[in-house]
Amino acid sequence: MENFLLKNIENPDSADIEEYLKIGGYKNIAKAFELEPKAIIEEVKKAGLRGRGGAGFPTAMKWSFAAADPKFPKYLLCNADEGEPGTFKDRPILEKNPHLLIEGMVISGYALGAEYGYIYLRGEYPHAKDVLNKAISQAYEKNYLGDNILGKSIKFHLAVHQGAGAYICGEETALIESLEGKRGQPRTRPPFPVNVGAWAMPTVVNNVETLCNIPYIISIGSEAYSQIGSKDCPGPKLYCVSGCVEKPGVYELPMGTSLKDIIFNHAGGIKGGKKLKAVIPGGISTPVLPESMIDCPMDFSSMPKHGSMLGSGAVIVMDESVCMVKVTYRALKFFEHESCGKCTPCREGTEWLRKSLGRIERGEGREGDIELLQEISENIMGKTFCPLGDGAAGVVLGMLKHFKGEFEEKIKAKGSRV
Amino acid sequence: MITITINGKEIKLEKPVTVLEAARANGIKIPALCAHEQLEKYGGCRLCLVEVEKMPRLQTSCTLTVADGMVIKTESENITKARRGVLEFLLINHPLDCPVCDKAGECELQDLVSKYGASAGRFKEEKRKTPESHEDRILARNMERCILCTRCVRMCKDVQGASALTIVERGGKSRMEPFSRESFNCEYCGNCHTVCPVGAILARPNIHNYRPWQIDREVETVCPYCGVGCSFILQVRDESIKRTIPKLGLGLNNGLLCSRGRWGYDFANNPERLKYPLIRKNGKLEQSSWDEALGLIVNKLQTIKNTQGGKAIAGIASPRCTNEDNYVFQKFLRTACQTNNIDSVSRLGFASAQRYFEDILGQGITANMIAGLKNSDVIIVLGGDPTAVNPILGLSVRAAARNGAKIVVIGNAKGLERFKTLKVTPPVFKEADVLEAVLSEIAKVKGPRGEKPAIDKRINELAGKYRTPEISGFNELKELLLSGKSVSIVLGTDIVQRTNGHKALFAVAGITYLLEARLYLLSERANEQGLIDMGCLPDALPGGRPLNINDFRKRFETSWGSSIPSDNGLTLMEIVDASRDKKIKALYVMGENPAFNIPNNPYVKEALSALEFLVVQDIFLTETAEIAHVVLPALSWSEKDGTYTNLERRIQRLRKAVNAPSGMEDWKIISEVSNRMGCKMQYRGTEEIIDEIADISPLYKGLTYDEITKGNCLWPYKGEPLRGVISEIPAAPEKSDDYKGDFYLVPEKLLFHSGTLSRRSSSLNRICPEPSLKIGEGHAQRLGLKDGDNVKIHASDGNLSIKISTDRYIKDNLVFISNNFEGRGVFSLLRYSLDPVTKAPGLEGCEIKIEKA
């Protein structure tokens, strides 16, 4: 399969609009403008595109809700707050292929009737900010953004808004709060952002990768697009592989490529010829899979059947030398730090888990600690305001499910390394 | 109609409320900490989890809106486990210091843990530690106890509209903090303290000095401060008030209070209270017996009445005293003393304006339901800041703004700056010109209405004369007013205090008339409306009945069994003048401090000193009491029964909560004097007085305490002028002055103080300990002054050293000082000349120079 999302990425000047135009960039805008907005939504629906941010919600459905809402203005927000540990799939697009994202947003904005867009950019991506701002001004100059795009009375304005470094702002309602200048905390749903979003107007929040798939669908048509990869969630997918592999990096592969294939074929296998121990397949919030369970297609519908989730497609590979208690502790340290503090189980539970895990990790574990970890996690699971708490509890529950022995040993051995 | 099932019980609902509201309305208890009746849903504490059929996980009932056919379970093993889990989480960082926590006994967390919680905690790690903050003067913050329900933040932002609080940091480090860091520096309403479910926000005035279960009594009564008349519960222990507690569903304030209402009660506990009668002997006030003091009063008044006639006697009634006190007072003056020289400091604003409006538009025109403000789509605010003068009414204006109403401020109203749509700043003291122009513009579109020919005629006359003022925002102002479908006008008394105040009042009346607007007249004292209803006016009997209409007077004469002089008496300022001119020999002052509360203090003092006999009934030795011949100790509002009538004409019960160590009810003292003077008044209690009022006043007809207790007792609105339809609007010759000076001094109405009561409240003094000169930030900068600098101000005859406080919202060259602090009230500098129509003092034009000290 030819790369689309990462096309031309080896070109050092790929972020320049001239280079993008050379490879046929921005052509899809004109093509899309020939269609009625409804027809674009229909194309995306037929293509079967599902959101690449992690939840896999059908993109066309989200759009149609916002398009059907009679309130104006509508907003299109690009979620570029790539904060999930292990995830760096959007970064090459943002830094190397920004015009693809702009092209995708212009078409999407046209499709759902949004005339204003924001790219909510992760606070830790300062370089991407410069690249995006430059790309946006180039796009304005060439009339791909503005009041009369390509001389038609179609309007789309775009700006970058940089976050201040909060994981929770990747959650779409917290992202909206933050964009509005408020404290980054998730909102009560319903109402959903598609009806009451940014400044209480209909708002669509799509991931970077999702939006970059739109020009592709327009380009090759829904029919051809739907033939790529898994049947019920087709299209190209970016997998970012990190950890104990020979060739860590971002790989554009058809959706549904097997996890084993990704690790051993594309990422070059385990580093130093060591033995694989476990994989976190879709970013830290997805449950860990032991070596024995990695023969599974990496897509939205297959992964739950194998006990995990596709998430953001961030594959974290751990070899035999990795201590799972330490991994768990490190993960919980992250979740505690990133908990927004709004709801009790997440705020207090992650702290309790982190403190207990830290103690076990330091060799101060006690009898009953495993049962306690299990119960704290169960008390968090399913009771928090947003999925952040579920993610934290899921890590502990997953680790205890597959690697309970390591925890027991650590508690017994009082601190010696496994 | 929505039908849902909770715990097997079928419930029908008219509106799509939340599951929590539906359950609670049907007596099903669901524990919740972040949810609160007055606040928007939040879903943070996760205690109110319930099971809903066809939903995969537990749902928070506080955020879930009911849908037809929903089947809900509020109790199950799963739910109990989840709740216990949440409570355990809440307790891991909550200190278990209930034995030293003020909230213990009424702590929602404590109650829930004892009902749902585990018997012991399993958290063995270290707890977060945050020291209790006592940086603020009035509120202590204990962030260890805070459970981050954010009720305080939501209350402050969404209901109070002060937006003084926020949550800082995130996750477990989150804590509530005022925007100004350690000190709250806010409106000090304390509503955050009311809604805090735990002991995280504490009231320093009563910290560690009470236990909720050690209260002797709880008495429901009405606030003594402003004309809104909020209800609260007084908690009393050892004959001292411990707290005021507002309550959801109680009174028109429905769980809210302002700073004065919440903290100001402690003036009644002040040790400087008068304890025994005083008589001036050899130039000094000395302790005497009641008998001696009353004997002297009777003797003096009798002598003066017999030698000079009743006209040589005058009385000043009090908008802080009850209806019963004021009724008895005016009856005493009219019968025993044979004088109609009765007025009060309400003449400075409320009474003057109210009388003017009622004369031309009809009785009750200024008395509208505060709740109605929320339904307005355009609200004009002028002549004062409702959020300072009548704070709870001010909250309704803010609420209306949040509901989408357009708020137009004419002049200065700092508390509405963040809520206003438009602010118009008239040239200083020229409000009337702007209002007349607005009225004429409206008349072009709407008038004449034809219902009241006199008003139509006068509007017509104005139309020929007005000039469109050259001020920014005038056209928007006009457009906004005309766009309103439900217009309310909130009128402060500042514009009444002009020599031509009646001009502005007519313009407001005209706008009200043409737009069929609702008019709200701000009232600084608790019983200004009641005082008028009781006939403490020189020209009207109880019920607003004009004195000089024989039929009315005759009816009262028959009922009271005494003749009543038929000539109108003197108004407040005229009483002062007549005292100085020695036409008035004796003045009886009940619960008022004219030597301080009437402008031009030096002149007033001189006038009062010229009196042959001055009696003062009060609870403190005020500036007036100091120069009196006899001083009698009265009772504070918390020590007596009675009724107050608020600015919406709602009659409310005042209940005795504390047994006073000394002093007597005002009505009782007056009755005693009256009896000794031969006019029998044999009331055994306030109930008998209200019976008499109910019998004689058309407004209070048939009223009983029982009925008042039930609430919603408003006197009927008839909308007819009591003197009949007038053919000519009273007016005075035009007066034109130019105000080209640097600065003009005017009175400021403070949120934290009110007249001479609040300065005896140690809590309010902690919040606002000293007077200041408020000045526009730009003007201060021009003078090289910054906030907090000391300055000396020079008026035409008088100087004052004072600290300045800058205000970035004030753009005109008015500067403000309040009239609250001893020796440094604005009325010591302001001179006045009377508005010939309303007889209110015009305070405009006091030019001052400001000099850095």
Side-chain angles (χ1 to χ4, degrees):
Chain A
M1 189 191 82
E2 197 196 344
N3 274 355
F4 181 81
L5 303 171
L6 302 180
K7 196 175 180 176
N8 206 24
I9 204 151
E10 305 301 330
N11 177 351
D13 298 321
S14 61
D16 193 87
I17 196 163
E18 297 300 339
E19 298 297 312
Y20 186 65
L21 289 170
K22 267 186 217 162
I23 58 161
Y26 284 119
K27 282 206 173 122
N28 296 310
I29 293 186
K31 204 170 164 190
F33 283 0
E34 279 165 25
L35 299 170
E36 285 294 309
K38 265 191 186 150
I40 299 175
I41 300 180
E42 193 54 32
E43 269 295 284
V44 175
K45 188 178 169 191
K46 274 196 227 152
L49 177 63
R50 287 172 67 173
R52 300 295 198 244
F57 191 82
T59 305
M61 201 191 285
K62 200 187 252 188
W63 285 11
S64 58
F65 290 145
D69 195 300
K71 294 197 290 294
F72 281 93
K74 300 182 202 293
Y75 294 99
L76 172 64
L77 311 183
C78 169
N79 186 345
D81 190 50
E82 190 172 50
E84 180 74 15
T87 313
F88 45 88
K89 67 180 180 73
D90 294 338
R91 187 169 178 178
I93 298 176
L94 296 167
E95 293 184 354
K96 306 288 277 181
N97 213 356
H99 289 287
L100 177 62
L101 175 61
I102 296 172
E103 186 175 7
M105 288 190 77
V106 173
I107 299 170
S108 309
Y110 170 65
L112 51 97
E115 295 180 333
Y116 301 93
Y118 288 92
I119 299 171
Y120 187 93
L121 182 66
R122 182 174 189 213
E124 292 86 342
Y125 281 175
H127 179 57
K129 186 183 178 187
D130 296 341
V131 174
L132 284 169
N133 278 330
K134 190 176 166 210
I136 288 172
S137 65
Q138 284 179 333
Y140 268 105
E141 273 168 33
K142 298 267 182 195
N143 207 15
Y144 294 119
L145 286 173
D147 285 332
N148 298 294
I149 297 172
L150 301 180
K152 303 197 185 231
S153 57
I154 295 170
K155 175 175 162 187
F156 192 74
H157 289 275
L158 185 59
V160 178
H161 180 94
Q162 197 168 21
Y167 173 62
I168 191 62
C169 291
E171 195 280 338
E172 62 175 5
T173 59
L175 183 151
I176 292 170
E177 287 278 290
S178 169
L179 180 71
E180 288 182 4
K182 298 174 188 156
R183 183 178 168 80
Q185 281 192 334
R187 288 180 181 173
T188 307
R189 291 182 294 190
F192 291 94
V194 286
N195 301 117
V196 182
W199 299 284
M201 288 297 155
T203 301
V204 163
V205 185
N206 282 145
N207 173 258
V208 175
E209 190 186 341
T210 314
L211 291 164
C212 289
N213 268 285
I214 303 300
Y216 198 27
I217 294 170
I218 297 297
S219 163
I220 64 169
S222 59
E223 183 67 32
Y225 183 90
S226 65
Q227 301 304 313
I228 304 168
S230 304
K231 268 223 162 65
D232 60 351
C233 45
K237 174 79 191 96
L238 295 176
Y239 297 101
C240 43
V241 189
S242 62
C244 313
V245 286
E246 288 288 352
K247 292 196 299 179
V250 183
Y251 297 91
E252 180 175 343
L253 301 168
M255 183 70 96
T257 309
S258 126
L259 181 54
K260 196 169 184 176
D261 194 29
I262 295 171
I263 297 170
F264 287 97
N265 286 342
H266 299 283
I270 307 305
K271 202 173 179 179
K274 284 192 183 163
K275 219 175 133 239
L276 174 67
K277 185 184 204 171
V279 183
I280 294 172
I284 199 81
S285 303
T286 57
V288 67
L289 293 175
E291 186 266 337
S292 61
M293 292 170 70
I294 63 163
D295 201 1
C296 50
M298 282 280 277
D299 66 40
F300 289 114
S301 39
S302 308
M303 289 305 282
K305 293 177 198 152
H306 289 81
S308 190
M309 286 181 291
L310 175 64
S312 58
V315 180
I316 304 169
V317 182
M318 291 163 280
D319 69 19
E320 55 191 335
S321 68
V322 173
C323 169
M324 299 316 265
V325 178
K326 190 165 187 177
V327 171
T328 318
Y329 168 66
R330 189 63 194 78
L332 262 296
K333 208 171 156 182
F334 170 79
F335 284 117
E336 184 205 8
H337 181 67
E338 294 297 347
S339 168
C340 78
K342 176 166 181 167
C343 75
T344 312
C346 176
R347 181 183 68 238
E348 306 293 338
T350 52
E351 182 186 333
W352 194 353
L353 286 173
R354 192 269 301 162
K355 281 182 173 168
S356 306
L357 285 162
R359 200 164 35 74
I360 298 171
E361 162 65 11
R362 285 196 308 274
E364 295 162 18
R366 299 184 203 114
E367 207 178 315
D369 270 350
I370 292 178
E371 292 72 22
L372 187 61
L373 288 177
Q374 180 86 25
E375 209 171 314
I376 299 171
S377 305
E378 281 167 7
N379 280 342
I380 300 174
M381 197 56 139
K383 288 153 196 103
T384 54
F385 192 92
C386 80
L388 193 151
D390 290 347
V395 170
V396 179
L397 291 173
M399 288 292 184
L400 288 176
K401 187 173 165 195
H402 299 297
F403 301 98
K404 198 170 184 176
E406 280 194 34
F407 286 79
E408 284 167 350
E409 263 177 63
K410 192 115 192 180
I411 291 169
K412 246 189 240 160
K414 295 278 179 201
S416 62
R417 293 264 148 189
V418 177
Chain B
M1 187 68 88
I2 303 160
T3 311
I4 60 167
T5 312
I6 303 182
N7 300 344
K9 184 182 167 190
E10 205 179 84
I11 292 170
K12 291 201 184 299
L13 297 157
E14 304 224 328
K15 280 192 296 184
V17 293
T18 66
V19 172
L20 182 70
E21 286 162 342
R24 286 186 170 170
N26 285 278
I28 298 162
K29 282 186 183 149
I30 300 176
L33 283 171
C34 68
H36 190 275
E37 287 86 338
Q38 284 167 297
L39 305 174
E40 290 290 311
K41 50 191 177 183
Y42 184 66
C45 78
R46 317 305 284 177
L47 257 178
C48 66
L49 296 166
V50 294
E51 279 175 20
V52 182
E53 253 178 37
K54 293 184 195 138
M55 289 196 177
R57 43 198 266 170
L58 296 176
Q59 300 289 318
T60 43
S61 58
C62 70
T63 58
L64 184 67
T65 306
V66 294
D68 200 34
M70 218 177 231
V71 180
I72 299 143
K73 262 205 314 203
T74 69
E75 300 291 338
S76 76
E77 206 176 310
N78 201 7
I79 295 169
T80 309
K81 184 170 181 283
R83 281 180 195 156
R84 188 179 303 138
V86 171
L87 285 171
E88 186 177 24
F89 283 141
L90 283 174
L91 289 183
I92 70 170
N93 280 305
H94 186 88
L96 300 179
D97 62 350
C98 307
V100 295
C101 176
D102 274 345
K103 196 74 179 181
E106 53 182 17
C107 171
E108 294 180 36
L109 182 62
Q110 196 182 41
D111 293 350
L112 289 174
V113 170
S114 64
K115 188 166 178 202
Y116 296 97
S119 54
R122 295 177 292 176
F123 182 74
K124 301 282 189 282
E125 325 300 327
E126 204 163 310
K127 291 194 180 221
R128 285 192 293 266
K129 290 265 181 291
T130 325
E132 189 167 288
S133 165
H134 285 249
E135 289 295 310
D136 189 73
R137 293 154 286 182
I138 210 88
L139 291 163
R141 222 158 30 95
N142 187 316
M143 286 300 109
E144 276 173 13
R145 295 184 190 140
C146 175
I147 55 163
L148 290 163
C149 66
T150 71
R151 280 188 192 176
C152 52
V153 175
R154 286 177 287 149
M155 168 57 77
C156 188
K157 180 168 166 284
D158 301 338
V159 181
Q160 181 68 19
S163 295
L165 309 178
T166 190
I167 303 289
V168 296
E169 298 271 10
R170 72 178 183 217
K173 292 196 184 98
S174 305
R175 61 182 191 281
M176 182 277 283
E177 203 172 88
F179 277 106
S180 52
R181 307 302 289 267
E182 287 301 320
S183 169
F184 279 64
N185 193 19
C186 61
E187 295 181 353
Y188 288 103
C189 63
N191 291 325
C192 54
H193 166 65
T194 307
V195 293
C196 181
V198 295
I201 302 176
L202 302 159
R204 292 188 64 192
N206 52 33
I207 203 165
H208 299 325
N209 79 0
Y210 74 96
R211 282 298 195 181
W213 60 87
Q214 289 175 330
I215 292 300
D216 294 340
R217 329 182 247 294
E218 288 197 332
V219 179
E220 187 189 312
T221 190
V222 179
C223 176
Y225 279 100
C226 81
V228 171
C230 293
S231 299
F232 51 48
I233 289 165
L234 287 181
Q235 286 194 332
V236 179
R237 189 181 173 201
D238 297 338
E239 300 308 332
S240 137
I241 305 166
K242 291 292 169 198
R243 284 196 289 177
T244 50
I245 304 179
K247 230 179 169 175
L248 278 172
L250 175 66
L252 55 89
N253 50 319
N254 191 26
L256 302 173
L257 278 183
C258 75
S259 53
R260 300 199 291 270
R262 183 175 305 270
W263 313 112
Y265 60 86
D266 58 351
F267 72 85
N269 299 347
N270 191 307
E272 289 172 18
R273 285 277 301 271
L274 288 173
K275 295 179 187 66
Y276 35 75
L278 302 167
I279 291 178
R280 187 167 300 278
K281 287 178 181 161
N282 305 321
K284 269 172 70 182
L285 284 172
E286 287 176 12
Q287 183 175 349
S288 85
S289 70
W290 276 98
D291 194 52
E292 188 187 356
L294 294 178
L296 180 62
I297 294 168
V298 170
N299 187 308
K300 279 284 184 185
L301 292 180
Q302 288 281 28
T303 314
I304 292 168
K305 184 176 86 174
N306 293 340
T307 56
Q308 329 257 336
K311 279 188 176 166
I313 302 175
I316 295 179
S318 170
R320 294 229 180 272
C321 286
T322 61
N323 285 329
E324 290 77 354
D325 293 333
N326 282 308
Y327 173 81
V328 169
F329 186 64
Q330 59 86 31
K331 183 178 170 187
F332 157 73
L333 285 161
R334 292 199 156 110
T335 57
C337 301
Q338 284 294 306
T339 178
N340 282 318
N341 296 332
I342 310 158
D343 210 359
S344 68
V345 295
S346 268
R347 179 64 56 188
L348 268 51
F350 186 87
S352 307
Q354 204 256 19
R355 298 301 288 164
Y356 185 84
F357 287 129
E358 290 201 345
D359 271 354
I360 64 174
L361 286 172
Q363 193 170 31
I365 187 71
T366 65
N368 288 292
M369 302 272 281
I370 292 171
L373 270 172
K374 285 184 198 156
N375 306 328
S376 311
D377 61 353
V378 174
I379 301 179
I380 317 158
V381 175
L382 71 158
D385 182 355
T387 65
V389 180
N390 293 127
I392 296 296
L393 183 147
L395 293 194
S396 292
V397 179
R398 287 175 175 175
R402 269 190 297 273
N403 292 344
K406 306 270 192 295
I407 312 293
V408 185
V409 175
I410 302 177
N412 292 304
K414 189 181 182 187
L416 292 173
E417 283 289 347
R418 284 184 295 111
F419 299 86
K420 65 176 198 295
T421 310
L422 176 69
K423 180 174 165 177
V424 176
T425 308
V428 287
F429 310 121
K430 299 284 185 194
E431 303 92 343
D433 295 351
V434 175
L435 290 170
E436 283 180 349
V438 173
L439 171 61
S440 303
E441 290 285 347
I442 291 173
K444 275 191 205 162
V445 182
K446 297 263 180 180
R449 226 179 104 189
E451 262 175 44
K452 297 189 192 303
I455 302 180
D456 283 325
K457 183 175 154 228
R458 180 98 179 86
I459 292 174
N460 230 351
E461 287 163 18
L462 284 176
K465 281 193 275 178
Y466 88 100
R467 270 185 313 145
T468 306
E470 285 166 14
I471 54 166
S472 75
F474 181 77
N475 281 323
E476 291 98 309
L477 170 65
K478 179 188 81 186
E479 296 300 328
L480 270 173
L481 281 178
L482 284 168
S483 74
K485 291 187 177 62
S486 169
V487 181
S488 290
I489 303 175
V490 177
L491 181 68
T493 53
D494 294 1
I495 61 164
V496 184
Q497 293 165 352
R498 304 279 181 263
T499 311
N500 60 4
H502 65 278
K503 273 180 65 182
L505 291 183
F506 176 77
V508 171
I511 296 168
T512 307
Y513 167 69
L514 289 182
L515 296 178
E516 296 182 59
R518 276 189 294 261
L519 187 56
Y520 294 84
L521 191 52
L522 299 183
S523 164
E524 290 162 48
R525 313 268 158 109
N527 201 26
E528 290 194 280
Q529 182 64 50
L531 171 105
I532 293 169
D533 294 349
M534 291 306 120
C536 288
L537 294 165
D539 58 349
L541 290 158
R545 293 300 185 210
L547 179 81
N548 51 11
I549 296 181
N550 284 340
D551 275 1
F552 289 135
R553 202 179 59 254
K554 285 273 160 6
R555 212 177 297 164
F556 282 89
E557 285 179 338
T558 316
S559 168
W560 289 347
S562 161
S563 65
I564 302 170
S566 58
D567 298 341
N568 286 344
L570 301 177
T571 60
L572 184 69
M573 307 302 171
E574 289 165 344
I575 290 173
V576 174
D577 292 343
S579 301
R580 198 200 54 170
D581 299 343
K582 300 196 185 281
K583 285 181 189 140
I584 284 182
K585 303 282 181 192
L587 179 63
Y588 202 126
V589 179
M590 174 178 81
E592 190 50 76
N593 185 11
F596 184 79
N597 285 339
I598 300 179
N600 203 353
N601 289 166
Y603 171 76
V604 178
K605 259 190 190 166
E606 183 200 320
L608 298 183
S609 306
L611 286 162
E612 197 180 313
F613 191 59
L614 174 61
V615 188
V616 174
Q617 263 172 229
D618 211 311
I619 60 172
F620 291 107
L621 194 68
T622 62
E623 286 89 340
T624 314
E626 276 169 5
I627 54 174
H629 299 92
V630 179
V631 181
L632 302 171
L635 297 185
S636 117
W637 111 107
S638 53
E639 296 153 356
K640 59 187 182 185
D641 284 307
T643 54
Y644 275 166
T645 305
N646 82 345
L647 57 84
E648 20 163 44
R649 72 186 190 276
R650 185 189 299 270
I651 304 147
Q652 306 192 100
R653 273 296 305 275
L654 208 66
R655 289 184 186 80
K656 177 176 170 172
V658 178
N659 288 308
S662 56
M664 232 197 285
E665 287 96 332
D666 286 291
W667 64 265
K668 222 179 228 172
I669 305 174
I670 305 288
S671 315
E672 188 58 34
V673 176
S674 187
N675 282 333
R676 290 185 187 213
M677 285 173 76
C679 273
K680 288 289 170 218
M681 287 194 188
Q682 271 140 357
Y683 307 112
R684 280 166 299 179
T686 48
E687 209 157 349
E688 289 187 4
I689 306 174
I690 208 79
D691 283 348
E692 185 175 316
I693 298 169
D695 192 45
I696 202 169
S697 161
L699 299 180
Y700 289 64
K701 201 161 193 71
L703 203 67
T704 62
Y705 271 5
D706 278 351
E707 214 174 311
I708 300 170
T709 309
K710 282 183 216 143
N712 287 330
C713 246
L714 273 80
W715 53 256
Y717 170 68
K718 293 230 179 62
E720 279 306 317
L722 286 169
R723 290 170 208 275
V725 179
I726 46 167
S727 54
E728 192 70 42
I729 304 289
E734 296 276 334
K735 188 173 160 266
S736 153
D737 277 312
D738 267 340
Y739 300 100
K740 296 248 157 55
D742 277 352
F743 295 106
Y744 290 96
L745 180 64
V746 287
E748 184 192 7
K749 311 281 158 57
L750 292 179
L751 170 61
F752 303 125
H753 281 287
S754 167
T756 52
L757 269 192
S758 67
R759 69 183 190 205
R760 313 274 183 169
S761 155
S762 60
S763 298
L764 291 175
N765 277 332
R766 268 206 254 178
I767 296 173
C768 179
E770 53 174 346
S772 65
L773 173 83
K774 193 169 275 176
I775 180 169
E777 202 172 57
H779 292 298
Q781 274 165 6
R782 196 163 49 76
L783 294 174
L785 295 168
K786 55 179 195 308
D787 195 64
D789 280 353
N790 286 310
V791 295
K792 195 160 188 192
I793 61 171
H794 305 274
S796 61
D797 41 1
N799 304 324
L800 195 61
S801 292
I802 196 164
K803 180 185 90 165
I804 68 160
S805 79
T806 59
D807 183 331
R808 66 189 159 114
Y809 298 115
I810 299 174
K811 302 288 180 218
D812 48 25
N813 56 345
L814 295 179
V815 293
F816 302 79
I817 299 179
S818 70
N819 199 61
N820 293 295
F821 295 93
E822 207 160 355
R824 287 189 289 174
V826 70
F827 286 172
S828 64
L829 296 177
L830 291 181
R831 308 291 172 256
Y832 65 86
S833 48
L834 278 192
D835 180 318
V837 177
T838 66
K839 302 289 171 74
L843 302 177
E844 72 272 22
C846 176
E847 194 179 337
I848 62 160
K849 293 265 177 281
I850 301 172
E851 176 188 44
K852 195 165 180 172

